[in-house]
Amino acid sequence: MKFNPRNLEKILQEKVGDLKLSELMKPCLITTYNMVQKSSFFFRSKKEDTDRRDFYMRDILRSTSAAPTYFPPAKIKNLASGPKKDPKCSNMINLDGGVFANNPTMCAYAEARNTNFEDRDIHEPSASEMHILSIGTGGGGFKIDQKEKSDRWSLLKWAQLIPEIMMDGSIDTVAFQMNEIFQAPEAHIAESYLRVDTPEENRTYASDMSNASPENINNLKKAGDKTLEYAKSKGLDMFLDKLLD
């Protein structure tokens, strides 16, 4: 692994402490990949879930940030007790949820559709009752060189590119699905659903997300400022006004 997780775990302990999933003030859904069960897994803050599967938030954050090759998988335990406890989650070994949901907007939409928001007297809302702000990370900046010669690429070349292609494609696929669900033409997308990510021309930072050089940090900050300008041009202010209303 590229990095030792001790510093990350120390920061999570300092900032989050012993806060549990069941103690969150607002509904929450967080993704991870469970290597023990060989399946995607969703940490859900609903009481019917936390009665069976409850975890320290520091362990959940460690799980969902365990990017393969960067950090080792997170080994965590289910804190729930009693007859309702899910035995499949007693001991988990988890990876970053980005391996299957690099854009988790559809996961959030599905969760909201099946949620009763008692404090707002809203039950299982449809798309017409939602406002969704989807924020990308500016990833997917990989390059595909010599595409015209792809019919002669080796297995090694394909093995290096396929994970990047699959993850990048899944991001765009979910954005397409959300646009179709909301039936929102591009000019009116801010009315109920807004996707914000760094435009390709502003991705002047390194594609390696572990590059923490002063120059790259500065490039990331510049890209963030330009992305905010781009988001405003797409109607971010109007979207937020509607959300507050």
Side-chain angles (χ1 to χ4, degrees):
M1 294 298 164
K2 203 165 187 177
F3 300 106
N4 190 308
R6 290 177 184 171
N7 284 340
L8 174 59
E9 291 169 355
K10 180 182 177 182
I11 291 172
L12 292 175
Q13 176 68 60
E14 291 174 351
K15 300 297 183 180
V16 185
D18 292 336
L19 179 69
K20 297 177 183 178
L21 179 63
S22 58
E23 297 171 336
L24 295 182
M25 297 177 65
K26 294 292 183 180
C28 190
L29 177 79
I30 300 174
T31 61
T32 193
Y33 183 84
N34 181 357
M35 294 177 66
V36 176
Q37 296 295 322
K38 293 186 291 186
S39 68
S40 57
F41 184 86
F42 299 91
F43 297 103
R44 303 165 67 178
S45 62
K46 293 179 179 179
K47 187 177 187 307
E48 55 265 36
D49 274 75
T50 56
D51 283 346
R52 303 167 54 234
R53 304 179 295 201
D54 201 7
F55 303 87
Y56 289 123
M57 285 304 301
R58 63 172 186 266
D59 287 342
I60 293 175
L61 296 174
R62 175 69 176 83
S63 294
T64 200
S65 62
T69 74
Y70 288 94
F71 290 108
K75 298 179 180 180
I76 71 172
K77 294 183 178 181
N78 184 2
L79 302 176
S81 59
K84 292 184 179 180
K85 181 176 181 178
D86 187 347
K88 292 182 180 180
C89 303
S90 295
N91 294 283
M92 302 179 72
I93 303 176
N94 298 334
L95 294 176
D96 176 7
V99 298
F100 70 90
N102 236 5
N103 180 352
T105 315
M106 183 62 73
C107 301
Y109 171 78
E111 178 74 355
R113 285 285 286 118
N114 195 36
T115 298
N116 292 326
F117 299 88
E118 302 294 349
D119 58 332
R120 296 296 183 101
D121 195 28
I122 298 174
H123 305 287
E124 300 178 348
S126 64
S128 62
E129 299 173 282
M130 296 186 197
H131 276 68
I132 296 181
L133 176 61
S134 174
I135 303 176
T137 63
F142 68 101
K143 295 182 179 180
I144 304 179
D145 297 321
Q146 298 182 319
K147 294 177 283 294
E148 65 281 356
K149 298 181 180 179
S150 57
D151 58 331
R152 299 193 295 276
W153 283 353
S154 65
L155 289 175
L156 178 60
K157 177 74 171 180
W158 279 111
Q160 292 171 333
L161 279 174
I162 284 176
E164 297 277 12
I165 292 172
M166 292 178 66
M167 287 189 176
D168 189 56
S170 69
I171 292 173
D172 296 334
T173 298
V174 172
F176 167 79
Q177 291 168 334
M178 295 307 301
N179 274 322
E180 291 298 298
I181 287 173
F182 280 80
Q183 297 180 349
E186 188 67 27
H188 304 292
I189 199 171
E191 290 184 2
S192 51
Y193 164 73
L194 180 62
R195 169 70 178 174
V196 175
D197 206 347
T198 306
E200 191 70 34
E201 63 270 20
N202 293 333
R203 299 184 183 188
T204 57
Y205 44 82
S207 59
D208 180 2
M209 64 181 180
S210 66
N211 187 334
S213 66
E215 179 184 4
N216 197 48
I217 294 297
N218 188 52
N219 287 337
L220 285 167
K221 290 179 178 178
K222 289 180 179 178
D225 290 337
K226 291 179 179 178
T227 301
L228 180 58
E229 293 175 8
Y230 169 78
K232 288 183 176 180
S233 72
K234 289 293 183 180
L236 178 62
D237 289 337
M238 180 176 68
F239 178 93
L240 294 177
D241 285 341
K242 288 181 177 292
L243 190 62
L244 292 172
D245 288 343

